[in-house]
Amino acid sequence: MTTGTRPDFAGMASTLRFQTQAFIDGRFVPALSGKTFATINPATGRELARVAECDGRDVDVAVAAAKAAFADGRWAALAPKERKRALLRLADLVEAHAIELALVESLDNGKPVDDALAADLPDAVDTLRWHAEAIDKLYDQVSPTAGDIVSLVVREPVGVVGAVIPWNFPLAILAMKVGPVLAGGNSIVVKPAEQTSLSALRFAELVKEAGIPDGVFNVVPGFGETAGQALGRHPDVECLSFTGSTEVGRYFLNYSAESNLKKVVLELGGKSPVIVMNDVADLQPVVEQIAIGILFSQGENCSAGSRLLVHADIKDRLLEALLAQFAEWTVGDPLAEGTRIGAVIEERHMDRILGYIQSGKDEGARIICGGERVRAESGGYFVQPTIFDDVTNAMVIAREEIFGPVLSVITFNTVEEAIAIANDTPYGLAASLYTNDLTTAHKVSRAIRAGTVSVNCFSEGDQAVPFGGFKQSGFGGREKSFSAHDQYTELKTIWIQL
Ligand code: TAP
C-alpha cells in the first residue's frame, strides 16, 4: 500500500528479481562446485534466494581475472578523467536504482527500508562520487633535491585488492572499499557477508552498465572460512581490506603473515562511550541522539554508542527523557512505514543478543526497558530496544560488542572518572561527549583514545573526513577522505640524474 509518495515496497518485493551468481571477469557465473547457499529474510525467517557458493577455486579464477585486468592497464592506464567518468556513471546508476537497492538491502538484512533509502544509499552514492572526483585532483610530488637530480614521489596502485565485507551496511561498506580502490586504478575481488550478498551482486550489474572494464570488479559470494580465507591467503592479492569483527580481523593478519605479506586494512568493532556532563541544560536533543546512536540499524553499527556514561547529578532526569524517547522507536516490519527498528540479521545473532541481556541480569544490572524478543506474526528475529541501568564497566555487557539495541548506563561523578571509564576498553572506534563547557569539550575530546570523537552531536562525518579506529578497532589506516587512497596506493620514489 502506498502512502503519499512512499513507494509500494511490499508490492515491489513480491516481483523483485535477484542476481544470485558470482560476478567474475564481467560475467555472472555459477560457483565451479555448482553449490549454492540460502540467503534468509531476517524479517520472516524464510529463504529469499539461493546464492552461488564460491570457494577457493572460484577465488583463484576471480583473482586471475583481476590480475589480468590490472596487468594490461585496461583500467589503471586509462586517463584519470576517463576513470572518473566511469565511476561517476556508476554513482549515477546506483542513485537511479536507489529504491530497488534499498529494498534488496532491507529484505536481505532486515533493516527498515526507509533507513536504507535515507542513509545507506545516499552514503554509497556520495562515497563513489567523492572518490571519483578525487581521481584527477590528487597530484604527485617533486622532492627538494640538488639542481642536477630530480626526485619524483608518485602514487601507484597496489594491484589486486581483496575486500571482505560485513552484513550490517553491505552496500555502503562495499562503496567505501570500491570508491578509493577503483579511483586508485586497482582491480578488486569482493567477498560479501554470507547473509547479505544480494546488493553486491545487483551492484555488479551496474558496474558493467557503467562501462567499467571486465575483470576490474569481481564478486565471489560464499563463506568466510572458504572464500574469505582464500582471498586473505592469495599470493596475487596485494592488499586485503576487511571490515568486520576484531576476532576475524586477527585471522587476516595471520593469513597475510603466512602468505605474501599483503597489506592488511582492518576496520573492526567498537564499544563506544557517550558521555553526558551535568552542565547540559537541554537534555531533549541529547536523548534523541543517544537513541539514534544505539538504536539506528538495530544497534548493528560498529560505532554504536553502546555505553552511556552519565553524570550522577542529571542521571534521573536523563533516563526519564531517554525512556520516553525509546518508546518512540517502533519495532516491526522493515517494509512498513513508521518502523524504526527492523529485524536483527539472523536467529543466531538474536540469540546472542538475548544471551548478553541475560548476562547483564545475571551480573546485577537492572533492566529499565525492553529486554525481550519481539514475536512477530511473520516470524523473524526482532529484539526490543533495551536499557540497562546500574551497569559497571567491568560487566560483560559493558565490555563486549553486543551489536544489538542494548544500552548500558554507567554513572560517574567527575570528568576524570568519565575519561577513565571511556578509555577502559580494548576498542577505540568512536565516542560522543555532551557538554556546554568549552574547556571540558577540549579536554575530554583530546583525552579519549578513539578515531572519532563527536562533541554535542553523534556523527561519523562525511566522505571528506577519515574514519577508523584506535586500539583493537582498527589497523592499517583510515577509510573515507584522501586517507583511504593511502591504503590502496604505494608511494614510489624515482630519481632522475640530469
Ligand atoms: P564478521 O563475522 O567478522 O564477518 C565479516 C566478514 O568476514 C564476512 O564476510 C565473513 O564471512 C568473513 N569471515 C568470517 N570468518 C572468516 C574467516 N575465518 N576468514 C575469512 N573471512 C571470514 O563480522 P560481521 O558479523 O559480518 O559484522 C559485524 C562486525 O563488523 C562487528 O564487530 C562490527 O563492529 C564490525 N564492523 C566494523 C565496521 C568499522 S568501519 N569499523 C563497520 C561495520 C561493521 P561470512 O559472512 O561468510 O561469515
Side-chain angles (χ1 to χ4, degrees):
M1 200 170 61
T2 306
T3 312
T5 55
R6 189 173 182 273
D8 174 14
F9 288 112
M12 286 171 60
S14 60
T15 56
L16 205 58
R17 169 195 72 89
F18 298 114
Q19 182 52 255
T20 57
Q21 293 191 314
F23 184 72
I24 298 177
D25 208 9
R27 289 185 311 125
F28 285 97
V29 291
L32 289 171
S33 66
K35 286 191 194 167
T36 59
F37 65 97
T39 190
I40 305 292
N41 178 348
T44 62
R46 287 196 289 276
E47 184 176 306
L48 200 55
R50 293 197 69 84
V51 177
E53 185 187 326
C54 294
D55 60 22
R57 285 196 301 151
D58 305 283
V59 168
D60 285 345
V61 177
V63 172
K67 190 179 172 187
F70 181 68
D72 69 18
R74 71 187 80 161
W75 177 249
L78 276 185
K81 66 178 181 187
E82 294 299 329
R83 272 191 281 132
K84 174 171 118 174
R85 257 185 222 144
L87 264 187
L88 286 175
R89 273 198 302 273
L90 177 59
D92 290 346
L93 283 166
V94 172
E95 191 168 49
H97 292 84
I99 291 174
E100 178 201 342
L101 284 163
L103 182 56
V104 172
E105 206 75 319
S106 172
L107 292 170
D108 215 10
N109 165 279
K111 63 177 67 196
V113 67
D114 291 319
D115 284 358
L117 195 53
D120 300 46
L121 266 297
D123 192 50
V125 172
D126 280 357
T127 306
L128 295 171
R129 285 210 178 113
W130 197 92
H131 291 290
E133 288 292 355
I135 291 176
D136 57 1
K137 295 172 190 67
L138 267 175
Y139 288 77
D140 292 333
Q141 296 170 346
V142 180
S143 301
T145 49
D148 61 348
I149 195 160
V150 174
S151 166
L152 308 176
V153 181
V154 296
R155 245 174 221 278
E156 293 190 354
V158 294
V160 178
V161 177
V164 178
I165 312 277
W167 44 256
N168 58 340
F169 295 100
L171 199 59
I173 293 176
L174 174 70
M176 217 187 275
K177 312 281 186 203
V178 169
V181 167
L182 295 196
N186 304 281
S187 306
I188 189 166
V189 179
V190 177
K191 206 293 283 173
E194 70 188 64
Q195 297 88 344
T196 54
S197 311
L198 297 177
S199 56
L201 294 170
R202 181 67 181 101
F203 181 86
E205 291 181 305
L206 302 180
V207 169
K208 180 106 181 160
E209 204 178 323
I212 292 172
D214 293 351
V216 171
F217 174 86
N218 307 273
V219 186
V220 284
F223 297 116
E225 284 185 4
T226 49
Q229 177 162 191
L231 257 187
R233 290 188 181 279
H234 205 291
D236 293 332
V237 172
E238 301 290 351
C239 173
L240 193 295
S241 182
F242 170 76
T243 298
S245 62
T246 299
E247 184 192 350
V248 175
R250 289 180 204 282
Y251 293 148
F252 280 101
L253 287 178
N254 278 331
Y255 300 157
S256 169
E258 289 166 8
S259 58
N260 60 342
L261 285 183
K262 58 179 64 64
K263 289 170 81 153
V264 178
V265 179
L266 304 178
E267 295 298 345
L268 308 173
K271 195 72 195 174
S272 301
V274 178
I275 303 172
V276 188
M277 300 302 300
N278 56 349
D279 57 39
V280 177
D282 183 4
L283 290 178
Q284 189 52 32
V286 178
V287 293
E288 285 169 16
Q289 289 178 26
I290 293 170
I292 292 171
I294 185 63
L295 300 182
F296 179 72
S297 229
Q298 299 70 243
E300 297 169 327
N301 180 358
C302 53
S303 42
S306 52
R307 290 185 298 150
L308 173 60
L309 278 47
V310 55
H311 195 286
D313 290 354
I314 56 159
K315 182 174 135 180
D316 291 346
R317 270 199 306 133
L318 183 89
L319 289 190
E320 194 185 333
L322 192 58
L323 283 171
Q325 188 56 222
F326 265 46
E328 291 182 16
W329 283 71
T330 317
V331 184
D333 178 1
L335 301 188
E337 192 167 11
T339 294
R340 296 190 75 185
I341 302 184
V344 300
I345 188 71
E346 60 187 353
E347 187 167 22
R348 197 172 43 145
H349 187 57
M350 177 184 70
D351 291 342
R352 191 168 163 266
I353 296 169
L354 295 173
Y356 275 117
I357 291 174
Q358 187 57 48
S359 119
K361 290 180 191 166
D362 294 345
E363 286 196 280
R366 189 166 57 89
I367 289 199
I368 58 170
C369 91
E372 305 286 340
R373 175 180 184 179
V374 178
R375 291 198 181 270
E377 264 178 38
S378 61
Y381 317 119
F382 299 88
V383 179
Q384 289 177 333
T386 299
I387 303 177
F388 273 107
D389 192 6
D390 300 336
V391 178
T392 72
N393 204 47
M395 291 179 184
V396 169
I397 53 170
R399 302 211 69 77
E400 296 186 11
E401 188 179 40
I402 299 174
F403 230 52
V406 182
L407 180 68
S408 294
V409 181
I410 302 171
T411 313
F412 67 86
N413 289 289
T414 65
V415 69
E416 289 73 23
E417 201 188 341
I419 292 169
I421 298 170
N423 283 336
D424 179 16
T425 167
Y427 295 112
L429 191 57
S432 300
L433 165 70
Y434 294 89
T435 180
N436 277 355
D437 184 88
L438 190 56
T439 306
T440 305
H442 188 71
K443 178 176 171 178
V444 177
S445 57
R446 295 306 298 258
I448 300 272
R449 304 281 301 155
T452 300
V453 180
S454 308
V455 179
N456 293 332
C457 58
F458 175 82
S459 162
E460 288 172 25
D462 63 18
Q463 297 309 317
V465 295
F467 178 72
F470 284 26
K471 303 197 279 184
Q472 292 180 35
S473 287
F475 179 94
R478 292 287 181 266
E479 301 210 272
K480 301 186 175 177
S481 77
F482 290 120
S483 305
H485 292 243
D486 296 338
Q487 300 177 347
Y488 307 119
T489 48
E490 297 279 15
L491 285 186
K492 177 186 278 179
T493 303
I494 301 173
W495 293 98
I496 303 176
Q497 181 72 55
L498 301 175

